[in-house]
Amino acid sequence: MKVLWLQSAGCGGCTQSMLCAAPRPLFDELRDAGIEFLWHPALALESGEEALAILEECAAGRLAFDVLCVEGAMLRGPNGSGKFHLMAGDGRPLTEWVERLARQARWVFAIGSCTAYGGLSASTPGNPLEACGLQYDTDTPGGLLGAAFQSSGGLPVVNIAGCPTHPGWVVDTLEKLALEGLNASDLDEFGRPLLYADQLVHHGCARNEFYEFKASAQKHSDLGCLMENLGCKGTQAHADCNLRPWNGSGSCLRGGFACIACTEPGFESPGHAFQQTPKVAGIPIGLPTDMPKAWFVALAALSKSATPKRVRDNSVVDHPVVRPTVKKGVK
Amino acid sequence: MKRIQLGPFNRVEGDLEVNLEVEGGHVVSAQVNSPLFRGFEQVLIGRLPEDALTIVPRICGICSVAQSAAAATALADLAGITPPPNGLLAQRLIQATENLADHLTHFYLFFMPDFARSVYAGRDWYAPVAARFMAVKGKAAGDVLQARARFFNLIGFLAGRWPHTLALQPGGSTKAMTPAERIRVLALLREFRAFLENVLLGDTLEAFSALDSEQALLAWAAGRNADFPLFLHAAGDLALERTGRAADRFLSYGAYGLFASGLWQPDAPPAKLDATKITEDTRHAWLADSEPLPPARGETVVNAEKAGAYTWCKSPRYAGQVVETGALARQVVAGNRLARDLVERHGASVTARVVARMIELAGVLPAMEQWVRDLVPGDPFCLPAPLPESGEGIGLVEAARGSLGHWLSVKRGHIERYQIIAPTTWNFSPRDRENQPGPLEQALVGLPAGDGTLPTVQHVVRSFDPCMVCTVH
């Protein structure tokens, strides 16, 4: 399976993240799964005219490839000219290259939330960059390729959203495609692969005991649940970050900072401080998606009244000060 | 006179185009173009100041922590606070992990594959270099990806994930290390040390750090079987120690409390850093023209039709002069004897820039081992950092590629101005209003270019390890 990769208005972080793929080195893993990069701007040898020749052959339909991966937002500005991002050595807008190549690709993958939905570039007030995603303007279908776009493989754009994407999300989606193909039923309502997006960041969170008792962190580095005060959206964000660790054993929550729901369209402009939970009458307004508010309020009140001292005391410090009770051995 | 346009210049972070004027097979003039504009300074305006911690890492996927560190430092400056000792150590460890990983990624994945080009077939070093460093397919690629991914597990413990962590805060770090993590992190540092010693250098870090001159370096490398000595052999054959000289004026903001800040140039006394001497010029950028402004008063206003402009990159200058930044600058300013010897003999060069990255890999890892031992379990990692309603802050840090500065002002609780000067903005800057070319534009003059020439231009460009996405933030 041949993969052609382009980068536009992103930070390159999805590629950098992908290079952290584990347990096997990325290139070995992909090669043995029958996946190769036809060209990748950060990794391939060919530059300049050699690279442009590969891209032109693909865009003209003379060189076959399977997957077009695009990383970074599409910049249509200024005034629809695409001049905010021209292909180096070529002078044509990246948006034009992406449109031509998408027509030839069997499948089109948006790598990361910038490419999927427009990202931070699209959240500048007034969007002077005229930035968008491949098939979305934030959460509205459309984008560069249009809401009706389907690649020749019969799928809309596959949105491997995340800021950045987890290496496993990209590698697994490519390998699933190589192994048995991808169907519409493998994607959720925003085009995200269900293999990682049918879970919530909350699932497997190491702070779950604190969540259960609403024993909340008050400040950065506290051990408690980050939902009530520090802006955590783990109960609303679709991704398996706490089941599939980052960089060996990490996740945002394990790192002590809130999930900002970076796999969701529009995460860049939440309408409140990223690291603060907006509340009405002391109750967070962004409650778990599947839970009626009244139940949450009732359960929270009940669980707070039943919080063990250990959980309560440990929630507001940066290392445990009360150990779990040890029952003395009975001889 | 012949014009050559080079691009897409891949295996750099982001987009780069280089335009050369060539006469008699040699470059007589170069223009460096960043053909992408991202506009993060505008994204930040009007936001809450602490939101910068979420936004600025997303300027760059390869030095995201450096951006975090600059923002956290600027906010700490605004708040008038200093993180507690554990918080500072954790911040240093997170920053150093990214910087060292960047040096490694650059050497193996971005820089060395050009030496595996078939144009070099026939050189006595070609066969082993091609086998190790061929892009994607070379044997070293798997080795380095494994070592890099394992090393980044430090960030899993210390900062949740990489890139784009929120662990670095003005008050310290959100992640207090547990006693078990402290043991694991030391084990990961030992594992990375083993890779550097066995695969990259072929010697102990301490033995490499003791090298104090070009002569000592070459004697050390002779007959040594490891990846970096292999590069030195090829570089010597191609005379890269005399290739790619720029302004020979070096800037560093200082790093980790280990490397001093300042300005250094040959035949002049070292100078202390005076941040008020920094200005940015927009004459040849597609940005509204104005007098060169200090970043605390700087503007980024698009003018896409501006005559005479050829890039989205501004021209930062120090006291009106062109300066180079990066690992070589950092080591020269800090007084590393090997780095100084290389520069005093030949000026800055491809070889010197690569050697400086090795000096940092060898020198910083032992420091990281010590920082982990210096952590005091039970002491705080993060202090609250209440921000004032109005004020200004500056965050000057060193990213892998050199000096990174954030200048921020806040009014009525919101960001009023946010200006960023990234390392590559210095190194890949266009001409300024005095028509002084930027460092890379200078470094390319005189190189062979055109049909059938060796890829010397590529070696010089990549020797700076450019990060264009930062440049065009």
Side-chain angles (χ1 to χ4, degrees):
Chain A
M1 196 169 81
K2 288 189 165 53
V3 178
L4 182 61
W5 196 291
L6 293 180
Q7 292 176 323
S8 188
C11 68
C14 290
T15 286
Q16 291 298 325
S17 173
M18 183 173 69
L19 293 173
C20 293
R24 294 189 71 202
L26 175 76
F27 300 150
D28 297 350
E29 173 67 23
L30 293 180
R31 182 195 60 229
D32 292 351
I35 298 162
E36 63 170 310
F37 292 120
L38 192 59
W39 192 71
H40 186 299
L43 305 170
L45 180 69
E46 301 86 356
S47 65
E49 288 173 7
E50 306 157 300
L52 289 173
I54 295 171
L55 297 179
E56 185 55 43
E57 289 293 293
C58 289
R62 293 189 293 266
L63 181 57
F65 64 104
D66 300 288
V67 187
L68 174 66
C69 288
V70 185
E71 180 181 357
M74 299 290 101
L75 303 186
R76 295 171 294 189
N79 303 315
S81 68
K83 195 182 170 182
F84 282 134
H85 190 192
L86 303 179
M87 175 70 85
D90 169 75
R92 278 186 282 181
L94 249 286
T95 47
E96 191 182 315
W97 276 104
V98 169
E99 285 183 305
R100 292 176 71 207
L101 289 162
R103 281 199 290 273
Q104 302 295 341
R106 292 188 69 199
W107 295 280
V108 178
F109 285 11
I111 307 294
S113 294
C114 290
T115 333
Y117 312 121
L120 273 162
S121 295
S123 76
T124 315
N127 193 5
L129 298 172
E130 300 164 49
C132 63
L134 285 183
Q135 207 167 9
Y136 278 91
D137 281 303
T138 311
D139 57 358
T140 308
L144 181 74
L145 299 175
F149 173 83
Q150 281 204 338
S151 61
S152 66
L155 277 187
V157 174
V158 176
N159 287 326
I160 309 180
C163 187
T165 50
H166 189 292
W169 304 342
V170 180
V171 171
D172 284 8
T173 308
L174 284 169
E175 292 195 5
K176 164 86 167 70
L177 177 59
L179 180 70
E180 58 196 8
L182 272 178
N183 297 306
S185 61
D186 295 318
L187 308 178
D188 80 354
E189 290 79 350
F190 282 117
R192 295 174 296 200
L194 288 170
L195 60 86
Y196 79 90
D198 66 351
Q199 288 143 109
L200 295 172
V201 170
H202 180 56
H203 298 158
C205 179
R207 295 174 186 245
N208 190 36
E209 191 186 30
F210 295 106
Y211 174 85
E212 285 173 18
F213 290 106
K214 297 291 161 289
S216 297
Q218 303 287 342
K219 59 186 189 303
H220 293 304
S221 85
D222 284 353
L223 297 177
C225 176
L226 302 171
M227 191 204 87
E228 191 176 359
N229 300 314
L230 293 176
C232 186
K233 294 185 172 168
T235 55
Q236 303 156 57
H238 296 78
D240 58 4
C241 296
N242 281 305
L243 296 168
R244 181 201 300 261
W246 288 75
N247 304 110
S249 63
S251 74
C252 295
L253 298 312
R254 284 171 183 257
F257 51 92
C259 167
I260 58 169
C262 73
T263 57
E264 306 296 313
F267 83 90
E268 313 84 1
S269 298
H272 60 83
F274 284 105
Q275 297 170 81
Q276 275 176 31
T277 307
K279 295 176 196 172
V280 172
I283 302 196
I285 53 174
L287 293 178
T289 38
D290 309 318
M291 199 166 182
K293 189 173 178 178
W295 291 17
F296 181 87
V297 172
L299 281 171
L302 187 62
S303 60
K304 274 198 181 189
S305 70
T307 307
K309 177 176 174 12
R310 170 178 61 83
V311 176
R312 188 174 59 241
D313 289 1
N314 288 347
S315 69
V316 291
V317 286
D318 72 2
H319 59 285
V321 289
V322 182
R323 285 195 290 135
T325 306
V326 178
K327 287 211 170 121
K328 284 188 181 140
V330 181
K331 283 185 183 170
Chain B
M1 183 89 73
K2 185 178 161 194
R3 285 187 65 89
I4 300 178
Q5 188 176 53
L6 298 177
F9 226 109
N10 69 329
R11 279 182 290 112
V12 302
E13 189 55 51
D15 275 50
L16 168 66
E17 181 177 279
V18 176
N19 289 286
L20 304 174
E21 285 184 2
V22 178
E23 218 168 66
H26 288 82
V27 177
V28 292
S29 165
Q31 284 192 346
V32 177
N33 176 11
S34 311
L36 167 65
F37 178 73
R38 297 181 63 221
F40 265 67
E41 290 159 340
Q42 280 90 331
V43 173
L44 286 154
I45 291 170
R47 298 265 193 163
L48 299 169
E50 54 268 43
D51 282 0
L53 297 168
T54 303
I55 294 170
V56 301
R58 291 170 165 86
I59 289 171
C60 184
I62 194 163
C63 51
S64 126
V65 165
Q67 298 285 352
S68 291
T73 306
L75 290 172
D77 185 35
L78 174 71
I81 62 148
T82 306
N86 276 352
L88 282 173
L89 290 168
Q91 287 186 348
R92 274 184 200 168
L93 282 163
I94 298 165
Q95 269 181 273
T97 305
E98 180 180 86
N99 279 2
L100 296 190
D102 272 7
H103 287 343
L104 198 71
T105 309
H106 174 259
F107 180 75
Y108 279 98
L109 299 184
F110 294 169
F111 179 73
M112 285 306 291
D114 281 326
F115 294 85
R117 288 179 176 275
S118 57
V119 67
Y120 288 129
R123 304 272 175 168
D124 70 345
W125 45 263
Y126 179 75
V129 165
R132 287 286 301 154
F133 296 107
M134 190 72 79
V136 180
K137 297 189 173 103
K139 177 73 182 65
D143 295 347
V144 74
L145 285 177
Q146 192 77 356
R148 177 184 181 277
R150 292 282 303 165
F151 186 50
F152 268 127
N153 285 356
L154 252 94
I155 301 245
F157 285 122
L158 285 164
R161 69 165 188 184
W162 183 89
H164 304 346
T165 176
L166 264 163
L168 278 75
Q169 296 284 327
S173 166
T174 59
K175 178 66 177 81
M177 203 189 283
T178 68
E181 287 166 346
R182 194 150 166 256
I183 302 301
R184 276 298 96 213
V185 163
L186 281 169
L188 288 169
L189 289 170
R190 276 197 298 277
E191 185 179 334
F192 192 59
R193 174 187 271 270
F195 175 85
L196 298 180
E197 294 187 338
N198 298 334
V199 182
L200 180 66
L201 298 175
D203 201 353
T204 65
L205 304 186
E206 286 73 13
F208 184 80
S209 293
L211 300 173
D212 59 0
S213 67
E214 182 184 38
Q215 196 184 2
L217 175 73
L218 297 179
W220 169 86
R224 192 173 292 276
N225 183 23
D227 289 335
F228 177 63
L230 193 54
F231 157 74
L232 283 177
H233 182 66
D237 180 39
L238 300 171
L240 294 181
E241 77 281 6
R242 296 192 295 276
T243 304
R245 188 174 198 163
D248 276 358
R249 205 174 289 115
F250 301 99
L251 172 73
S252 171
Y253 295 157
Y256 318 125
L258 203 61
F259 305 132
S261 66
L263 189 84
W264 190 89
Q265 51 193 321
D267 309 320
K272 280 192 173 162
L273 177 73
D274 178 356
T276 63
K277 291 184 174 168
I278 297 169
T279 55
E280 281 196 294
D281 180 298
T282 57
R283 174 58 61 89
H284 290 95
W286 287 302
L287 300 169
D289 213 21
S290 68
E291 287 300 300
L293 291 171
R297 292 195 290 117
E299 300 281 350
T300 306
V301 179
V302 168
N303 178 359
E305 305 301 325
K306 187 167 139 188
Y310 59 90
T311 178
W312 292 105
C313 181
K314 294 182 185 176
S315 307
R317 296 291 184 256
Y318 186 88
Q321 294 185 308
V322 176
V323 301
E324 175 174 339
T325 186
L328 178 61
R330 202 155 45 227
Q331 292 309 315
V332 164
V333 169
N336 179 277
R337 292 172 67 188
L338 173 56
R340 285 238 179 125
D341 189 54
L342 286 165
V343 165
E344 280 168 343
R345 281 173 193 276
H346 311 292
S349 67
V350 172
T351 300
R353 294 185 188 106
V354 178
V355 168
R357 294 192 184 91
M358 301 301 136
I359 292 170
E360 296 204 335
L361 279 161
V364 175
L365 197 76
M368 293 177 75
E369 293 165 341
Q370 188 57 48
W371 298 336
V372 178
R373 292 195 184 94
D374 289 346
L375 289 164
V376 179
D379 282 2
F381 277 73
C382 196
L383 300 176
L387 299 174
E389 280 287 293
S390 296
E392 296 188 353
I394 303 177
L396 304 179
V397 303
E398 284 287 314
R401 289 159 196 76
S403 306
L404 169 65
H406 286 201
W407 285 258
L408 139 102
S409 69
V410 172
K411 206 169 175 180
R412 285 190 286 277
H414 292 79
I415 294 172
E416 177 189 39
R417 184 190 306 272
Y418 206 113
Q419 288 283 309
I420 298 160
I421 305 182
T424 304
T425 322
W426 289 98
N427 290 337
F428 284 37
S429 63
R431 283 155 175 75
D432 54 31
R433 67 191 50 240
E434 309 296 332
N435 224 27
Q436 299 183 93
L440 177 64
E441 293 184 335
Q442 295 185 21
L444 293 174
V445 172
L447 300 184
D451 295 337
T453 51
L454 299 175
T456 315
V457 166
Q458 310 231 6
H459 299 320
V460 171
V461 170
R462 295 194 212 289
S463 73
F464 287 91
D465 192 5
C467 182
M468 309 313 292
V469 295
C470 279
T471 297
V472 298
H473 23 274

